[in-house]
Amino acid sequence: MATQTFSKNSTIELRKKHIGPSCKVFFSHDPIKIVRAKGQYMYDERGEKYLDCINNVAHVGHSHPDVVKAGSKQMELLNTNSRFLHDNLVQYAQRLVATLPDKLSVCYFVNSGSEANDLALRLAWQYTGHKDIITLDNAYHGHVSSLISISPYKFHQQKDDENNDFVHVAPSPDIYRGKYREDHLDPATAYADDVKDIIELADRKGHKVNYFFHISLSPNVNFPYRKHKRSV
């Protein structure tokens, strides 16, 4: 059984006292206290094992020995920002772009999905000169201000429920609960046509859509995504 510093109730009370209330916990009626993880499993303070279907960080499993070894080795040597020259940065970039098409040869390394999405927005805005965006209903793209405004999952929770006029929301291609379901003859094309209609309507209003923010694989909906992506 894993050790813990505080009892579960004490941890809950200390979290309420010191952690902002907007930082939610899973299963708030009875939160799970996780004390360690290994591979695909997480363990609570009683040693109960849970299959981790939530975390989107540990891509190769929790506590992967190769990752732990590489991280420890690098932190023993150097842990600083990328404004200094270091071989590892360009070596990693070189190895990464070798797996990509020739035109994708420049890297921006970031620390989170929110930072990556915010950077993608800024690059698109600068390149096209336009700010209109199509996003999917129920989508969540990150917690920084630029992404809250294009995340229906978040801005629908706001009291005034207002979003910017450059944000256009398309229905999520969910064939289980969505607008077009499994009994539809061609749900992928139907969802893609909705996106096309949004683009045409924006164009008639003098707007130019510069970005389609599509979650290629969502844990929340069942996508007919291959044909949908091709069509869009």
Side-chain angles (χ1 to χ4, degrees), residues 37-104:
K38 184 77 172 178
Q40 69 272 40
Y41 296 109
M42 304 180 78
Y43 300 84
D44 68 13
E45 78 283 6
R46 300 167 301 168
E48 189 75 26
K49 182 167 67 173
Y50 298 86
L51 178 62
D52 183 5
C53 297
I54 292 179
N55 276 293
N56 58 356
V57 177
H59 297 296
V60 293
H62 294 280
S63 307
H64 193 291
D66 290 346
V67 175
V68 172
K69 181 180 178 180
S72 177
K73 180 180 178 180
Q74 182 60 48
M75 284 187 284
E76 285 179 352
L77 178 67
L78 177 67
N79 183 17
T80 186
N81 66 58
S82 60
R83 291 178 181 267
F84 296 102
L85 283 177
H86 195 278
D87 290 346
N88 285 6
L89 180 71
V90 293
Q91 184 182 45
Y92 178 60
Q94 190 176 46
R95 291 174 62 185
L96 182 62
V97 301
T99 68
L100 303 172
D102 291 341
K103 289 185 178 181
L104 297 178

Side-chain angles (χ1 to χ4, degrees), residues 55-203:
N55 276 293
N56 58 356
V57 177
H59 297 296
V60 293
H62 294 280
S63 307
H64 193 291
D66 290 346
V67 175
V68 172
K69 181 180 178 180
S72 177
K73 180 180 178 180
Q74 182 60 48
M75 284 187 284
E76 285 179 352
L77 178 67
L78 177 67
N79 183 17
T80 186
N81 66 58
S82 60
R83 291 178 181 267
F84 296 102
L85 283 177
H86 195 278
D87 290 346
N88 285 6
L89 180 71
V90 293
Q91 184 182 45
Y92 178 60
Q94 190 176 46
R95 291 174 62 185
L96 182 62
V97 301
T99 68
L100 303 172
D102 291 341
K103 289 185 178 181
L104 297 178
S105 59
V106 177
C107 300
Y108 293 91
F109 295 120
V110 295
N111 292 315
S112 68
S114 292
E115 189 178 351
N117 286 342
D118 179 74
L119 175 61
L121 281 180
R122 288 186 286 130
L123 288 172
W125 289 344
Q126 183 172 350
Y127 180 76
T128 66
H130 304 297
K131 284 197 171 185
D132 280 60
I133 292 167
I134 296 176
T135 186
L136 297 179
D137 198 16
N138 300 315
Y140 171 63
H141 299 299
H143 62 263
V144 298
S145 297
S146 63
L147 302 175
I148 294 294
S149 66
I150 67 166
S151 298
Y153 174 79
K154 284 293 185 180
F155 67 63
H156 282 334
Q157 297 178 28
Q158 297 173 356
K159 291 182 179 179
D160 54 8
D161 194 22
E162 291 182 357
N163 59 295
N164 296 310
D165 59 2
F166 64 83
V167 178
H168 311 278
V169 181
S172 295
D174 179 355
I175 57 174
Y176 182 61
R177 297 185 180 89
K179 182 178 179 181
Y180 309 111
R181 304 187 181 186
E182 288 181 300
D183 57 354
H184 192 281
L185 291 177
D186 190 357
T189 298
Y191 281 114
D193 285 344
D194 279 352
V195 175
K196 181 181 178 182
D197 291 341
I198 290 173
I199 295 172
E200 292 175 349
L201 178 60
D203 189 60

